[in-house]
Amino acid sequence: MPGVARPPADPLEGRPAGEDVWDGPLVDRFGRVHRDLRISLTDKCNLRCTYCMPAEGVTWLSKENLLTTDEIERVASVLARLGIREVRLTGGEPLLRRDIVDVVGRLSRLQGPDGPLEVSMTTNAIRLDRVMDQLVDAGLARLNISLDTADPERFKKLTRRERFEDVVRGVEAARDSGLRPLKLNAVAMRDVNDDEFCDLLRFAVRYEAELRFIEQMPLDAGHTWSRHTMVPGEEVLEKLGAEFALEPVGERGASPAEVFAVDGGPATVGVIASVTAPFCGACDRVRLTADGQLRNCLFAREESDLLSLLRAGCTDESIAAMLRTCIEGKRAGHGIDEPGFLQPDRPMSAIGG
């Protein structure tokens, strides 16, 4: 009938007969076992960073298409049963979610085969000082704070908002919370902040944080990214090496960052060279967008519609089957260097970091 949506196909129907969807780890065709879930809680943000979002005219996801807290908890519980160990809450800006403390509390109480989920968050730290104690009490384990400049005027120009002091208060609250490691994430950008890498490192050390520089990736809303203008990780290390002694630290494993001790430690700095030195071979992440779409890669151009499945009254087994199918379809790498590479239609703010 016109106007009546068909229910989604049951993912169990595409699985081998007799297969137990709960049996074995969440593994792809290349043997990568997935332990890390990224959940975007909203596509909205209280900043308008020039490399991420336009100044005006952003079309937000409709409220009715956002996952509810019950739905988030249910999906996370299925993934925990499949072996996910860590959940990172992202956005947009996750602190804009009014029930953020409740979300953290519910997820931190979920149990998997290896124990309770570790719940962390990536935030711009605006509003963090208001809820830091509540988040810790709810079970938040770690924090990553996004900060691309330590200069208030540059921050205003880059983010199109005058909120630098709010961010600093958030960083101070995070430091005082005792949650460790506390990380600061900075996107390295040509002619934007490439003259203050050392200043950013000094800022991070002052606040007992571990700085991570991230190569700018093709995930901007305007699709203006160019490899020729990005700052490669090697250049970041060269600039830092002019003022600091850097020594490699340990094995990175599935971590995206190559980490270095600063002047003998204990301070460290890391470089996430997603473009020039991709770590796809060790990737263990699966992503869930705020509108309930599963993504097996940050740069995936296909998504699995989990929201429709949830709202059609599916079983947990069907959720698990969709998750397995999604992960099994994961490519070997993100393909940025391939001739046919196409940037995802969604920007980072709508995918989640």
Side-chain angles (χ1 to χ4, degrees), residues 287-303:
R287 287 177 165 79
L288 179 63
T289 67
D291 58 345
Q293 305 301 304
L294 283 172
R295 298 176 64 90
N296 57 28
C297 175
L298 188 59
F299 294 94
R301 293 189 59 82
E302 302 82 26
E303 299 177 333

Side-chain angles (χ1 to χ4, degrees), residues 62-330:
S62 61
K63 184 176 181 180
E64 60 268 21
N65 286 333
L66 295 178
L67 287 169
T68 67
T69 304
D70 287 342
E71 289 168 339
I72 291 171
E73 181 181 19
R74 185 181 179 199
V75 175
S77 70
V78 171
L79 276 157
R81 188 173 172 183
L82 291 171
I84 288 291
R85 297 173 179 171
E86 178 184 351
V87 175
R88 172 79 59 82
L89 301 176
T90 70
E93 172 47 48
L95 291 180
L96 291 180
R97 181 118 178 180
R98 293 182 179 180
D99 62 347
I100 182 62
V101 174
D102 185 38
V103 172
V104 170
R106 292 201 201 187
L107 297 184
S108 66
R109 290 191 291 270
L110 294 177
Q111 294 278 337
D114 301 308
L117 291 180
E118 179 185 86
V119 181
S120 60
M121 183 187 301
T122 297
T123 173
N124 61 27
I126 296 173
R127 299 187 71 250
L128 183 59
D129 61 318
R130 307 179 199 176
V131 293
M132 187 73 254
D133 292 343
Q134 298 173 61
L135 291 171
V136 172
D137 291 343
L140 188 70
R142 293 191 297 111
L143 271 168
N144 284 24
I145 295 175
S146 301
L147 182 63
D148 301 317
T149 176
D151 179 83
E153 285 304 312
R154 183 171 285 179
F155 179 91
K156 180 179 178 181
K157 182 178 180 181
L158 177 61
T159 67
R160 304 185 180 104
R161 298 290 188 272
E162 199 166 356
R163 306 297 298 270
F164 183 76
E165 294 304 321
D166 294 324
V167 173
V168 171
R169 282 193 291 271
V171 174
E172 291 173 342
R175 176 199 60 195
D176 296 343
S177 73
L179 296 186
R180 296 295 185 275
L182 168 62
K183 297 179 182 178
L184 297 186
N185 295 340
V187 177
M189 292 170 282
R190 179 83 59 203
D191 300 327
V192 176
N193 64 355
D194 57 340
D195 61 340
E196 63 168 317
F197 292 164
C198 292
D199 291 337
L200 276 163
L201 181 51
R202 281 186 282 267
F203 179 94
V205 171
R206 185 161 70 250
Y207 287 98
E208 301 175 20
E210 301 180 10
L211 183 61
R212 297 292 184 266
F213 285 101
I214 304 172
E215 288 183 343
Q216 189 176 3
M217 295 177 283
L219 289 165
D220 58 302
H223 290 207
T224 60
W225 177 90
S226 169
R227 182 169 184 139
H228 301 295
T229 59
M230 61 163 281
V231 181
E234 287 187 359
E235 184 176 332
V236 173
L237 292 173
E238 182 180 343
K239 289 179 180 292
L240 293 175
E243 296 191 32
F244 303 96
L246 305 178
E247 292 292 334
V249 176
E251 297 292 331
R252 63 192 292 180
S255 171
E258 185 178 6
V259 181
F260 300 83
V262 179
D263 291 338
T268 63
V269 64
V271 173
I272 300 177
S274 304
V275 178
T276 62
F279 46 91
C280 302
C283 180
D284 65 346
R285 301 175 183 175
V286 57
R287 287 177 165 79
L288 179 63
T289 67
D291 58 345
Q293 305 301 304
L294 283 172
R295 298 176 64 90
N296 57 28
C297 175
L298 188 59
F299 294 94
R301 293 189 59 82
E302 302 82 26
E303 299 177 333
S304 300
D305 185 6
L306 187 53
L307 181 70
S308 295
L309 193 70
L310 287 166
R311 295 184 180 178
C314 67
T315 64
D316 285 356
E317 285 75 14
S318 292
I319 297 174
M322 177 175 279
L323 287 161
R324 287 197 180 277
T325 300
C326 177
I327 294 302
E328 288 164 3
K330 189 169 184 171

Side-chain angles (χ1 to χ4, degrees), residues 27-97:
V27 62
D28 66 17
R29 296 171 295 163
F30 305 96
R32 296 172 294 198
V33 178
H34 290 67
R35 304 292 193 191
D36 188 334
L37 170 63
R38 305 296 172 98
I39 301 178
S40 175
L41 297 181
T42 178
D43 60 329
K44 293 182 179 179
C45 188
N46 38 19
L47 299 178
R48 294 292 182 274
C49 296
T50 55
Y51 63 88
C52 182
M53 301 174 71
E56 304 291 345
V58 181
T59 302
W60 306 117
L61 296 170
S62 61
K63 184 176 181 180
E64 60 268 21
N65 286 333
L66 295 178
L67 287 169
T68 67
T69 304
D70 287 342
E71 289 168 339
I72 291 171
E73 181 181 19
R74 185 181 179 199
V75 175
S77 70
V78 171
L79 276 157
R81 188 173 172 183
L82 291 171
I84 288 291
R85 297 173 179 171
E86 178 184 351
V87 175
R88 172 79 59 82
L89 301 176
T90 70
E93 172 47 48
L95 291 180
L96 291 180
R97 181 118 178 180

